[in-house]
Amino acid sequence: MKVQNRKKEKSSIYGYLLSAAAMAAAVTIFAGAVISFAGRTGSGEEETLKKAVTRASVQCYAIEGRYPPSVEYLEENYGVQINRKKYNVFYDGFASNVMPEINIIPIEEQGASE
């Protein structure tokens, strides 16, 4: 009977090791998916912000007959909200009747650059 108990002990140890390895693999895959999703969300925020600034600029042109002089004007008069801690918005309009160039640049976090 001792031989059978040893076989059961060995097979149960292998079962535990196999379960632990499968769990570690699942956690690794899940963590990779979360990191990938977080990266895609950031670029989606940039695109959404650029569309909002562009849409507000066109709306201003339709209502006032000119493109806005600055992004601050859009924030004050058209409800555009910019997270200045996360993004720099470069708004370059050289004439009131020409669509301005709009660039959204994410601000690098302090910890990422060091």
Side-chain angles (χ1 to χ4, degrees):
M1 278 229 328
K2 289 185 178 183
V3 174
Q4 287 181 344
N5 286 338
R6 285 185 187 170
K7 286 183 181 180
K8 284 184 180 181
E9 286 177 13
K10 285 184 180 181
S11 64
S12 64
I13 290 174
Y14 292 130
Y16 289 132
L17 290 175
L18 183 62
S19 295
M23 183 65 159
V27 168
T28 303
I29 291 170
F30 179 75
V34 168
I35 291 169
S36 174
F37 180 74
R40 283 185 275 156
T41 302
S43 64
E45 287 178 3
E46 290 173 44
E47 188 63 31
T48 301
L49 179 57
K50 184 171 183 171
K51 286 180 181 180
V53 172
T54 301
R55 191 172 30 253
S57 297
V58 171
Q59 183 180 13
C60 178
Y61 185 78
I63 293 170
E64 300 180 20
R66 65 182 175 89
Y67 285 104
S70 66
V71 175
E72 289 76 18
Y73 185 85
L74 291 174
E75 288 178 302
E76 293 170 9
N77 299 293
Y78 289 89
V80 173
Q81 296 179 356
I82 300 170
N83 184 346
R84 301 275 182 188
K85 292 179 181 179
K86 286 181 78 173
Y87 301 105
N88 286 320
V89 178
F90 296 97
Y91 182 91
D92 185 23
F94 64 92
S96 64
N97 63 341
V98 177
M99 179 69 178
E101 184 177 334
I102 301 164
N103 292 308
I104 311 297
I105 309 294
I107 296 173
E108 301 263 340
E109 292 183 22
Q110 290 283 341
S113 63
E114 294 177 2

mmCIF file of all heavy atoms in Angstrom, residues 1-2 9 47 50 73 96:
data_model
loop_
_atom_site.group_PDB
_atom_site.id
_atom_site.type_symbol
_atom_site.label_atom_id
_atom_site.label_comp_id
_atom_site.label_asym_id
_atom_site.label_seq_id
_atom_site.Cartn_x
_atom_site.Cartn_y
_atom_site.Cartn_z
ATOM 1 N N MET A 1 0.800 -1.196 0.000
ATOM 2 C CA MET A 1 0.000 0.000 0.000
ATOM 3 C C MET A 1 0.838 1.253 0.000
ATOM 4 O O MET A 1 0.391 2.269 -0.470
ATOM 5 C CB MET A 1 -0.901 -0.001 1.223
ATOM 6 C CG MET A 1 -2.079 -0.818 0.930
ATOM 7 S SD MET A 1 -3.680 -0.370 1.202
ATOM 8 C CE MET A 1 -4.151 0.567 2.379
ATOM 9 N N LYS A 2 2.013 1.163 0.503
ATOM 10 C CA LYS A 2 2.871 2.327 0.537
ATOM 11 C C LYS A 2 3.242 2.768 -0.875
ATOM 12 O O LYS A 2 3.390 3.953 -1.126
ATOM 13 C CB LYS A 2 4.128 2.046 1.356
ATOM 14 C CG LYS A 2 3.861 1.946 2.820
ATOM 15 C CD LYS A 2 5.136 1.800 3.595
ATOM 16 C CE LYS A 2 4.849 1.740 5.070
ATOM 17 N NZ LYS A 2 6.022 1.661 5.888
ATOM 18 N N GLU A 9 0.818 10.653 -4.200
ATOM 19 C CA GLU A 9 1.476 11.883 -3.761
ATOM 20 C C GLU A 9 2.192 12.544 -4.932
ATOM 21 O O GLU A 9 2.095 13.753 -5.129
ATOM 22 C CB GLU A 9 2.468 11.590 -2.635
ATOM 23 C CG GLU A 9 1.816 11.288 -1.308
ATOM 24 C CD GLU A 9 2.833 10.923 -0.234
ATOM 25 O OE1 GLU A 9 4.040 11.140 -0.460
ATOM 26 O OE2 GLU A 9 2.410 10.427 0.814
ATOM 27 N N GLU A 47 -7.087 61.241 -30.240
ATOM 28 C CA GLU A 47 -7.917 61.376 -31.433
ATOM 29 C C GLU A 47 -9.253 62.034 -31.093
ATOM 30 O O GLU A 47 -9.740 62.895 -31.835
ATOM 31 C CB GLU A 47 -8.144 60.009 -32.082
ATOM 32 C CG GLU A 47 -8.827 60.068 -33.414
ATOM 33 C CD GLU A 47 -8.028 60.802 -34.477
ATOM 34 O OE1 GLU A 47 -6.793 60.777 -34.432
ATOM 35 O OE2 GLU A 47 -8.668 61.427 -35.353
ATOM 36 N N LYS A 50 -8.633 65.752 -30.548
ATOM 37 C CA LYS A 50 -8.417 66.450 -31.819
ATOM 38 C C LYS A 50 -9.740 66.642 -32.564
ATOM 39 O O LYS A 50 -10.007 67.710 -33.118
ATOM 40 C CB LYS A 50 -7.426 65.688 -32.691
ATOM 41 C CG LYS A 50 -7.104 66.421 -33.979
ATOM 42 C CD LYS A 50 -5.984 65.786 -34.743
ATOM 43 C CE LYS A 50 -5.682 66.629 -35.975
ATOM 44 N NZ LYS A 50 -4.479 66.200 -36.640
ATOM 45 N N TYR A 73 -10.099 80.298 -26.631
ATOM 46 C CA TYR A 73 -11.382 80.836 -27.067
ATOM 47 C C TYR A 73 -12.416 79.715 -27.182
ATOM 48 O O TYR A 73 -13.563 79.873 -26.781
ATOM 49 C CB TYR A 73 -11.213 81.549 -28.412
ATOM 50 C CG TYR A 73 -12.460 82.244 -28.901
ATOM 51 C CD1 TYR A 73 -12.770 83.531 -28.469
ATOM 52 C CD2 TYR A 73 -13.320 81.622 -29.793
ATOM 53 C CE1 TYR A 73 -13.919 84.179 -28.908
ATOM 54 C CE2 TYR A 73 -14.469 82.258 -30.245
ATOM 55 C CZ TYR A 73 -14.762 83.536 -29.795
ATOM 56 O OH TYR A 73 -15.903 84.172 -30.233
ATOM 57 N N SER A 96 -8.312 84.058 -40.432
ATOM 58 C CA SER A 96 -9.596 83.729 -39.815
ATOM 59 C C SER A 96 -10.517 82.929 -40.734
ATOM 60 O O SER A 96 -11.514 82.384 -40.274
ATOM 61 C CB SER A 96 -10.299 85.010 -39.365
ATOM 62 O OG SER A 96 -10.612 85.817 -40.488
#
